[in-house]
Amino acid sequence: MSKIDKKKLPSRHTSLGPDRAPHRSFYYAMGETEQDVAKPFVGVVSTWNEAAPCNTALMRQAQSVKKGVKQSGGTPREFCTITVTDGIAMGHEGMKSSLISREVIADSAELTVRGHCYDALVGIAGCDKSLPGLMMSMLRLNVPSVFIYGGSILPGKFKGKDVTVVDVFEAVGKHSSGKMSSEELRELELVACPSAGACGGQFTANTMACVSEAIGLALPYSAGTPAPYEERDKYAYESGQAVMNLLEKKIKPREIVTKKSLENAATIVAATGGSTNAALHLPALANEIGVKFDLMDVAKIFKKTPYLADLKPGGKYVAKDMWEAGGVPMLLKTLFDGGYIHGECMTVTGKTMRENLANIKFNTNQKVLREYNNPLSPDGGVVGLKGNLAPDGAIVKIAGLKKLQFTGKARCFDNEEDAMKAVQTKKYNDGDVIIIRYEGPKGGPGMREMLSTTGAIYGQGKGEKVALITDGRFSGATRGFCVGHVGPEAAMGGPIALLKNGDVIDIDAKKGSINVRLTSAQLRARRKKWKEKKSSFGSGTIWKYAQTVGPAYLGAPTHPGKKKEVKEYSKI
């Protein structure tokens, strides 16, 4: 593309002038021509691997991205990075790796682009942490970038109903309480996940896919199409074209992702009853652009946003249904009509959100999405909580909950395994508040999700008869009265570390409060006796993470972000 002057791009350091002859020779070894090397270099990163179905369709889509880049005057350079798949990591020590993988994904994409001086980036992701991980790297590098989701899995069919992997997690609880036979459990597990793609409900992957469009980093409609459908390849191709357009127009991610577009992102999370993990990932994205947007800022948006999408786990439908009903743009359009979306935000189309939504009409002939003035409930499916048990804040997903207040006695566990044993052997009572602590970012380390435990509780029919509080996380698939991200975490001596069995706890999701019935003096006295718990990791990546990770309410960042940036990569 002749309008792009390579002499002003990062790739000049690896491809222009007589000094770079050795560098160019490497490109010729890979089949590139002199003409190819003279064009801008575009990194095409996917989290392709065979760890889980979320990732297996990504390499195919990367080829379509590369075609779009090539036909628009760029030279694509494909590379892969890791993922840790929550569904397989769930319920054992593997889950400690999950959130940490977000940082490794962001760091590895950053290092690949920096090391080879790429001029732009297209990122394709499937699993939960890979979506925010790649978006974080785009904001950190600030080269023209387009994100594309790899697509969701098709729903399984069991006894005539659509099912997802969450039904299998909950079936484990049904099986342990004698409500489901071993044969039925086997039948369900064999049909629950019938294709490539990320988990089908409004869990973390689909929540962050909706975010990618709402925040402006992904093309309209690209989040919706299921992974196996060939239509995905069209969006991948167009994403390759779009990144070249951004390169020509010099539109960078930090012009797209701003405080207002982060608010748009939080709005769509609330409107879809999305994953509580978004309250971890949006502050992490904010950190990359040097903007304050913490857990309670996210919660403020949640509180004033109508809940419009009837999606699993709180509702009836899956991602494929939302796509067929009208997709993310139709939901954004009704939210915009209601005054909930900032229309002036720039997007990767090179147009504003308002311009992107101009011709979209609401489809009234469907049951998945509601208009803004006819919500499922007047406020979002996720609520922020604060009080003497969580001075830094906490979060609870209320989509689908019948009651919003809970008072009960604490039953304390210092790790998830002990809590899961108690649940499986039914060593808890109706009305208990199950506490799982030392599972925060630093204390875990890695801030595990608790889907195995919450799924088992729900499967036993106790989803709203007990509450669960943790300084760890919940899966986007979690349902029931479950409070996560409690801060300060137990490893930092937060109030959750000071609880004893029998302490009375009040949770009020209507008022946004979470308190233990102890006075400040009682908490102070307990803190004096509290002893720091020794970490079970003294080396390796998990140890290294614990040394640098920040608090959950700031997104569990592992570096200072733009606030301390000295040199911006895109300006090298």
Side-chain angles (χ1 to χ4, degrees):
M1 205 174 267
S2 57
K3 292 175 189 172
I4 299 172
D5 182 3
K6 184 146 169 161
K7 294 192 185 91
K8 293 180 179 171
L9 295 178
S11 65
R12 72 186 185 279
H13 296 295
T14 59
S15 58
L16 295 184
D19 294 354
R20 299 302 178 235
H23 304 62
R24 289 191 293 271
S25 66
F26 281 120
Y27 285 102
Y28 304 144
M30 293 183 277
E32 303 299 348
T33 64
E34 289 179 274
Q35 288 74 25
D36 294 329
V37 176
K39 292 171 185 172
F41 290 154
V42 178
V44 178
V45 56
S46 81
T47 56
W48 176 87
N49 58 45
E50 292 182 339
C54 333
N55 309 303
T56 51
L58 303 186
M59 195 180 277
R60 179 196 97 221
Q61 293 176 52
Q63 307 321 305
S64 295
V65 170
K66 284 158 69 178
K67 281 179 195 159
V69 168
K70 219 168 175 59
Q71 289 180 20
S72 301
T75 296
R77 309 312 306 148
E78 183 181 359
F79 64 101
C80 291
T81 185
I82 68 148
T83 51
V84 171
T85 295
D86 291 8
I88 292 174
M90 194 72 68
H92 52 89
E93 273 223 345
M95 183 43 84
K96 291 180 188 284
S97 303
S98 169
L99 182 59
I100 302 174
S101 76
R102 184 190 75 179
E103 310 310 304
V104 174
I105 290 160
D107 293 351
S108 60
E110 177 197 357
L111 291 175
T112 303
V113 171
R114 280 184 181 277
H116 306 101
C117 295
Y118 295 154
D119 303 315
L121 189 61
V122 180
I124 316 161
C127 281
D128 297 2
K129 307 306 167 298
S130 58
L131 284 82
L134 288 185
M135 287 188 253
M136 284 161 66
S137 68
M138 291 170 179
L139 297 176
R140 195 181 299 174
L141 293 159
N142 204 31
V143 290
S145 300
V146 176
F147 177 86
I148 181 166
Y149 180 41
S152 66
I153 199 166
L154 296 173
K157 273 268 188 272
F158 180 68
K159 294 187 174 175
K161 284 186 176 172
D162 280 357
V163 290
T164 70
V165 74
V166 178
D167 295 282
V168 191
F169 275 101
E170 291 179 4
V172 171
K174 287 179 184 166
H175 180 258
S176 73
S177 58
K179 293 180 191 167
M180 182 179 259
S181 69
S182 297
E183 188 49 42
E184 281 179 307
L185 181 60
R186 179 177 168 271
E187 276 175 44
L188 174 60
E189 73 177 77
L190 288 171
V191 298
C193 299
S195 74
C199 297
Q202 194 62 354
F203 317 143
T204 306
N206 280 318
T207 298
M208 294 309 294
C210 291
V211 161
S212 72
E213 286 194 39
I215 211 167
L217 285 174
L219 292 176
Y221 295 104
S222 65
T225 321
Y229 290 14
E230 284 187 8
E231 194 180 336
R232 285 227 62 79
D233 299 322
K234 172 176 83 83
Y235 290 114
Y237 176 80
E238 287 169 2
S239 295
Q241 291 180 310
V243 82
M244 294 306 296
N245 181 45
L246 293 173
L247 198 53
E248 187 185 337
K249 290 184 172 168
K250 299 182 177 147
I251 298 172
K252 296 179 181 181
R254 291 181 191 171
E255 292 159 55
I256 290 168
V257 179
T258 60
K259 178 82 178 274
K260 284 186 173 175
S261 68
L262 284 162
E263 289 175 353
N264 286 350
T267 299
I268 205 157
V269 175
T272 57
S275 168
T276 52
N277 282 314
L280 197 66
H281 301 323
L282 295 180
L285 291 170
N287 180 60
E288 301 291 352
I289 59 172
V291 163
K292 182 197 167 285
F293 195 66
D294 66 22
L295 171 70
M296 297 318 284
D297 293 317
V298 175
K300 268 182 216 148
I301 305 288
F302 288 171
K303 198 174 174 64
K304 65 180 190 184
T305 306
Y307 173 35
L308 302 178
D310 193 5
L311 297 169
K312 285 175 180 277
K316 297 189 192 82
Y317 300 101
V318 295
K320 175 177 174 279
D321 301 319
M322 180 168 159
W323 167 66
E324 287 170 345
V328 175
M330 193 172 89
L331 185 58
L332 285 170
K333 174 67 178 206
T334 190
L335 286 163
F336 175 71
D337 290 344
Y340 297 98
I341 289 289
H342 302 291
E344 68 273 30
C345 295
M346 179 51 67
T347 74
V348 291
T349 62
K351 297 176 182 173
T352 64
M353 181 65 72
R354 181 185 283 105
E355 289 171 315
N356 287 348
L357 299 175
N359 298 318
I360 290 166
K361 302 259 185 300
F362 196 87
N363 170 17
T364 52
N365 193 26
Q366 50 80 37
K367 293 176 180 173
V368 186
L369 301 174
R370 303 278 192 98
E371 290 185 80
Y372 77 88
N373 53 5
N374 178 33
L376 290 155
S377 72
D379 45 27
V382 182
V383 170
L385 306 172
K386 251 191 178 176
N388 72 349
L389 185 49
D392 283 351
I395 197 157
V396 61
K397 185 171 185 174
I398 60 167
L401 278 185
K402 291 181 187 75
K403 61 175 190 171
L404 301 180
Q405 285 95 5
F406 197 102
T407 293
K409 289 183 178 177
R411 188 155 169 62
C412 303
F413 301 93
D414 286 354
N415 57 59
E416 188 194 5
E417 283 83 355
D418 289 352
M420 183 66 169
K421 267 184 221 149
V423 168
Q424 285 180 318
T425 53
K426 300 202 188 106
K427 287 187 178 153
Y428 68 96
N429 301 312
D430 288 6
D432 278 355
V433 179
I434 296 168
I435 307 291
I436 306 179
R437 58 193 175 190
Y438 295 100
E439 292 285 8
K442 196 182 250 332
M447 204 180 182
R448 283 196 285 185
E449 289 184 352
M450 308 289 163
L451 179 60
S452 290
T453 307
T454 60
I457 289 168
Y458 215 91
Q460 289 177 357
K462 304 289 187 181
E464 298 201 26
K465 290 175 181 161
V466 296
L468 196 152
I469 296 175
T470 182
D471 52 6
R473 298 181 295 124
F474 291 115
S475 163
T478 291
R479 52 184 178 156
F481 215 123
C482 299
V483 179
H485 303 207
V486 167
E489 61 173 294
M492 304 299 289
I496 193 171
L498 312 176
L499 294 177
K500 292 178 180 173
N501 287 338
D503 286 341
V504 178
I505 292 166
D506 299 301
I507 311 163
D508 191 329
K510 225 163 178 54
K511 286 184 186 163
S513 63
I514 180 166
N515 292 292
V516 56
R517 292 185 192 174
L518 295 171
T519 65
S520 301
Q522 286 172 311
L523 285 167
R524 273 197 304 275
R526 287 189 188 184
R527 186 168 281 108
K528 279 180 187 164
K529 292 179 183 171
W530 175 76
K531 287 186 175 64
E532 197 173 331
K533 195 166 171 277
K534 198 173 183 302
S535 174
S536 50
F537 288 84
S539 63
T541 300
I542 294 176
W543 172 85
K544 190 163 59 172
Y545 176 83
Q547 310 315 300
T548 57
V549 70
Y553 81 98
L554 295 176
T558 53
H559 72 118
K562 184 179 181 290
K563 281 181 185 163
K564 295 272 182 88
E565 182 180 76
V566 176
K567 185 191 285 185
E568 185 189 307
Y569 165 74
S570 68
K571 293 177 179 172
I572 62 166

